[in-house]
Amino acid sequence: MANINTSKFADHTFDAIVIGSGISGGWAAKELCDKGLKTLVLERGRNVEHLKDYPTATKNPWDFPHRGRLSLELSEENPIASRCYAFKEDATHFFVKDKEHPYVQEKPFDWIRGYQVGGKSLLWARQTQRWSKYDFEGPARDGFAVDWPIRYDDIAPWYSYVERFVGISGNKDGVDTLPDGEFLPPWEMNVVEKAIRKRIVETYKDRHVMIGRCAHLTKPEEIHHQQGRGQCQARTLCQRGCPYGGYFSSNSSTLPWAAKTGNLTLRPDSVVHSILYDEQKGKAVGVRVVDAHTKEATEYFANIIFVNAAALNTNLILLNSTSSRFPNGLGNDNGLLGKYVAFHNYRGSLSASMDGYEDSYYYGRRPCAVMMPNFRNVHKQETDFLRGYMVFYSAGRGRSGAGPNGEQLGAAYKDALSEPGNWGIYMMMQGETIPKESNYVSLSTSEKDAWGMPLLKVSVGYDENDEKSMKDFLVQGAEMLDKAGCKNIHTNDSKQAPGLDIHEMGGVRMGRDPKTSLLNEYNQLHACKNVFVTDGACMTSTGTQNPSLTYMALTARAVDYAVSEMKKGNL
């Protein structure tokens, strides 16, 4: 432990340290504190408290200088962040600005980040689906990546455990490609969405259509009242922070819960530089932190360390944690740290219209779409590309637009704006990408940030498999909409860079063999047993589902194991 300032060793020693306060970090904190461990949570960004620090939550559209839209100046200053759908005038304070935290793009990559207590849990899209057995079996069966060290039955109880606390709305659909969970009442499809579903399931026997599942309280239960959370108001203002606690975030749920135990110490403005490894003890003993404002370096110590800084930052911290034992990064004996990064392919989408149904409308602003679990290469290889994609669609009615005679000024135009227009349909893909060694992150040897950390270099791109998968979705999507009776069907390839999906995964993947993976079946570093990684960095493959529910379940499972091992004296 060279160069460690031990003058305040006692004050800086905890049972456990959690790096990051987002979705997985919040869960690690809750579980560790619940189990009686004095836990330090380190967050590189500023403090954000539930209710107190949501400055725009109850503002009206006319309270914003640009009515919620970005100014030209802000857009030009943030060409990366401004591509995110939630980077609006009412939420820019929750996003990392481009100039403040640079990185190196060896290939185009839109890295969307939220540095504050709660992280991106204040900004996520809140869609929550379980993986199926086919997703965990996929790599071994299809011959890509490495075999997952767990199966669906290993994580299913933890899905249930997390779902009950978080509050997931959904319907029991009985579909094995998207297993049911512990659900609150579901949201409802509107009349056009139901019509499309009926025609699709009648036409395609291998395709299932169901209402989306999301982390919104449609009918809060006692566990949610204990958290101080209330019913979702269907406002679609979620990126502002929800004053009702209607959707799950670390700020409204896990962190306050952890704080109530008296075991939590939360330290914002703490940029984690590296994890400290003791050569004699043969384990990690703490972390080195740089104060975000003073730039002063401090060390904190613990028996257990959970790394939950979000996928790419977790890779950065581990790569920067070098020692005589680990000259290439903590746990990196096989040289694979930072490699096999993957993401979700969002490039393909379709739009269409539907005639009729002018006498029907819908209530509220539903926080989820209609979804269709993957139907490609589920049981066996059937196409010229590996794996597949989930499909999401929604139908709605916009404003009718101009007045009856084309007016865009005056009373007739104003009256027309109060009338709903025709039905429009939007459909999108969420495609699985295949982890490959050529998609990686590494550390710059020449450039550092304001806190002395090497800049992260990102070399992640699409491949032929992604192109084929997207083209298949566009063909199948157009065919499904046509058979459903839709008109004016248009396909689109956004050509957006990876990263804008905000589902980056891998680099510290789980596996059975220390020669081909970094983590074991309990998210524990093979080569450093008291360090655990349970955010997106741990993922062996991406599946087609939204990943956050899996991160939460893996985290709760890993904490249970870690605390058990600590009590046995194995950590």
Side-chain angles (χ1 to χ4, degrees), residues 383-440:
T383 68
D384 64 347
F385 59 89
L386 288 169
R387 310 306 291 155
Y389 45 82
M390 277 191 74
V391 175
F392 297 86
Y393 75 83
S394 58
R397 302 181 73 177
R399 304 288 188 182
S400 63
N405 298 311
E407 303 97 330
Q408 293 193 15
L409 287 172
Y413 174 58
K414 182 178 178 180
D415 291 342
L417 288 177
S418 67
E419 297 295 325
N422 296 325
W423 285 91
I425 295 91
Y426 176 77
M427 179 179 280
M428 59 169 280
M429 70 180 295
Q430 185 167 276
E432 181 166 358
T433 66
I434 305 305
K436 50 187 184 291
E437 192 169 6
S438 58
N439 274 352
Y440 64 89

Side-chain angles (χ1 to χ4, degrees), residues 65-79:
H66 306 95
R67 302 298 187 264
R69 298 174 68 91
L70 292 178
S71 67
L72 179 61
E73 180 183 14
L74 197 58
S75 295
E76 291 177 344
E77 288 179 350
N78 296 277

Side-chain angles (χ1 to χ4, degrees), residues 85-370:
Y85 68 94
F87 189 77
K88 302 175 182 176
E89 190 176 24
D90 61 358
T92 57
H93 49 284
F94 288 145
F95 283 85
V96 164
K97 308 307 186 293
D98 291 2
K99 292 181 180 179
E100 295 173 1
H101 298 274
Y103 61 101
V104 181
Q105 299 183 59
E106 293 189 336
K107 296 179 182 177
F109 189 91
D110 293 333
W111 192 8
I112 307 299
R113 292 160 288 171
Y115 291 164
Q116 62 262 326
V117 169
K120 295 193 297 293
S121 77
L122 290 169
L123 299 166
W124 68 310
R126 306 164 304 282
Q127 305 309 297
T128 45
Q129 312 99 20
R130 293 187 179 199
W131 278 35
S132 73
K133 63 180 181 180
Y134 305 109
D135 299 295
F136 288 104
E137 296 167 359
R141 186 190 67 228
D142 297 344
F144 69 95
V146 296
D147 187 15
W148 274 89
I150 61 172
R151 292 293 185 262
Y152 176 74
D153 288 345
D154 295 313
I155 197 174
W158 296 101
Y159 275 138
S160 294
Y161 177 76
V162 165
E163 287 163 342
R164 286 191 289 266
F165 190 85
V166 168
I168 307 296
S169 62
N171 188 59
K172 299 274 190 180
D173 297 293
V175 175
D176 67 347
T177 50
L178 206 66
D180 292 334
E182 312 295 328
F183 294 144
L184 302 176
W187 298 88
E188 186 179 359
M189 296 184 201
N190 61 45
V191 63
V192 170
E193 292 164 345
K194 290 177 180 177
I196 294 173
R197 177 186 63 178
K198 182 175 185 294
R199 292 166 188 172
I200 288 176
V201 298
E202 287 175 349
T203 305
Y204 304 93
K205 300 308 178 186
D206 64 336
R207 304 184 191 184
H208 306 278
V209 182
M210 58 193 75
I211 190 63
R213 300 166 181 174
C214 57
H216 284 254
L217 301 181
T218 50
K219 187 178 180 181
E221 296 181 343
E222 177 58 27
I223 188 63
H224 308 121
H225 292 309
Q226 290 176 21
Q227 298 170 43
R229 297 169 59 201
Q231 183 171 332
C232 173
Q233 303 296 300
R235 303 190 314 153
T236 62
L237 302 177
C238 308
Q239 70 274 3
R240 300 181 179 185
C242 181
Y244 308 97
Y247 74 81
F248 171 82
S249 70
S250 296
N251 307 67
S252 67
S253 180
T254 47
L255 290 177
W257 188 276
K260 285 191 297 184
T261 67
N263 294 323
L264 176 69
T265 299
L266 176 62
R267 193 181 193 278
D269 299 311
S270 300
V271 180
V272 174
H273 174 276
S274 55
I275 296 172
L276 305 170
Y277 183 80
D278 189 299
E279 307 281 348
Q280 294 181 333
K281 294 181 178 179
K283 66 181 208 176
V285 293
V287 298
R288 178 172 283 114
V289 170
V290 178
D291 186 281
H293 301 296
T294 68
K295 310 300 194 312
E296 180 183 357
T298 313
E299 291 80 27
Y300 295 91
F301 307 94
N303 292 324
I304 297 173
I305 299 171
F306 270 72
V307 192
N308 299 91
L312 299 193
N313 270 324
T314 286
N315 277 275
L316 190 162
I317 291 168
L318 292 174
L319 285 165
N320 201 46
S321 300
T322 57
S323 61
S324 297
R325 170 66 181 86
F326 297 110
N328 299 313
L330 185 64
N332 192 22
D333 286 340
N334 53 27
L336 297 180
L337 180 61
K339 298 180 180 178
Y340 295 98
V341 172
F343 53 97
H344 276 149
N345 183 357
Y346 276 14
R347 279 172 49 182
S349 65
L350 300 99
S351 62
S353 62
M354 178 74 86
D355 294 339
Y357 304 97
E358 286 90 354
D359 59 345
S360 297
Y361 201 66
Y362 43 89
Y363 174 79
R365 299 172 177 85
R366 193 184 64 207
C368 60
V370 182

